[in-house]
Amino acid sequence: TLSQWRRATYCTAMAERNRNHISLFCEMQEQEDKPYAKCLSKTWAYLEGELKSLDNLERFFNEFDQWQNSLLDNQESFGAEAAQQACQSLYSATYALLDESANDCELVQLSNKQLLVEFTEMGNDSEDLIARQEQFEIQVFELLTSGKPKRETILSIKKLASSEPESSLGISLD
């Protein structure tokens, strides 16, 4: 069991890693991804101690939540599922900061694994992607449990989560 900030950091790392899913889906839907990007940025800022107001974070969270509901309403493509997984990660991350009892780490981990399984079932070779995602999650958990100071841990995980241009599905927007 991880502490509140660790749970939020884990989910935020997953949201960061898979933000390409949102960007691509929004591009396909001719929608802006600003509410996602803004909520992700504010969640990191709150975790890092730069944003002090939980009310301010909640305002961005509420905007993001309304936006994601309208974006994904009646969408049933694999791209929508990938976008939904990224949104679920971000929702869980921010909600973990707003509600001390929230713990969706396993749900976020499972949904990412299911997305990779479905990707494989569609005929894609995803052995390397699965191994890469598992390695990423191991590195995140090692950092979360390293005993290093909170801010240092969060900055290290943020750097790790944004260090590769590819999402867990190998989507790169370059």
Side-chain angles (χ1 to χ4, degrees):
T1 57
L2 299 173
S3 66
Q4 181 183 17
W5 72 266
R6 287 180 173 89
R7 293 190 305 265
T9 301
Y10 172 80
C11 294
T12 308
M14 295 305 135
E16 180 73 46
R17 181 163 178 95
N18 289 326
R19 77 185 300 171
N20 289 353
H21 298 172
I22 286 293
S23 297
L24 182 60
F25 187 72
C26 284
E27 188 177 303
M28 291 168 33
Q29 298 297 312
E30 297 178 354
Q31 298 284 326
E32 289 287 324
D33 67 351
K34 268 186 182 175
Y36 184 93
K38 198 70 156 166
C39 187
L40 181 61
S41 171
K42 295 297 181 180
T43 301
W44 279 124
Y46 189 85
L47 284 166
E48 294 167 13
E50 293 174 12
L51 176 66
K52 306 283 186 209
S53 170
L54 202 55
D55 288 341
N56 193 8
L57 178 63
E58 187 171 15
R59 185 173 56 85
F60 287 103
F61 170 74
N62 289 334
E63 289 172 14
F64 158 73
D65 191 33
Q66 288 177 352
W67 169 83
Q68 74 157 344
N69 288 330
S70 66
L71 176 73
L72 298 167
D73 189 38
N74 295 319
Q75 296 289 333
E76 298 191 15
S77 65
F78 183 74
E81 286 183 47
Q84 173 62 39
Q85 195 282 328
C87 284
Q88 178 185 17
S89 297
L90 182 54
Y91 182 96
S92 296
T94 310
Y95 193 71
L97 294 170
L98 300 172
D99 180 350
E100 197 175 313
S101 66
N103 185 359
D104 288 347
C105 291
E106 286 182 29
L107 178 63
V108 167
Q109 188 178 36
L110 179 63
S111 68
N112 205 28
K113 285 182 179 172
Q114 288 174 329
L115 196 62
L116 284 162
V117 166
E118 189 173 338
F119 190 67
T120 304
E121 289 172 350
M122 292 168 55
N124 296 298
D125 180 19
S126 57
E127 208 172 289
D128 289 344
L129 293 175
I130 291 169
R132 197 175 117 239
Q133 180 63 21
E134 287 174 358
Q135 184 59 37
F136 174 72
E137 289 179 25
I138 288 168
Q139 289 175 301
V140 170
F141 279 117
E142 284 176 352
L143 286 166
L144 287 172
T145 58
S146 68
K148 292 182 180 174
K150 177 181 173 181
R151 183 166 165 74
E152 182 181 333
T153 300
I154 290 166
L155 291 173
S156 294
I157 290 172
K158 183 179 180 182
K159 183 178 177 184
L160 175 67
S162 59
S163 66
E164 292 185 24
E166 293 183 347
S167 71
S168 63
L169 293 174
I171 295 170
S172 178
L173 300 177
D174 294 344

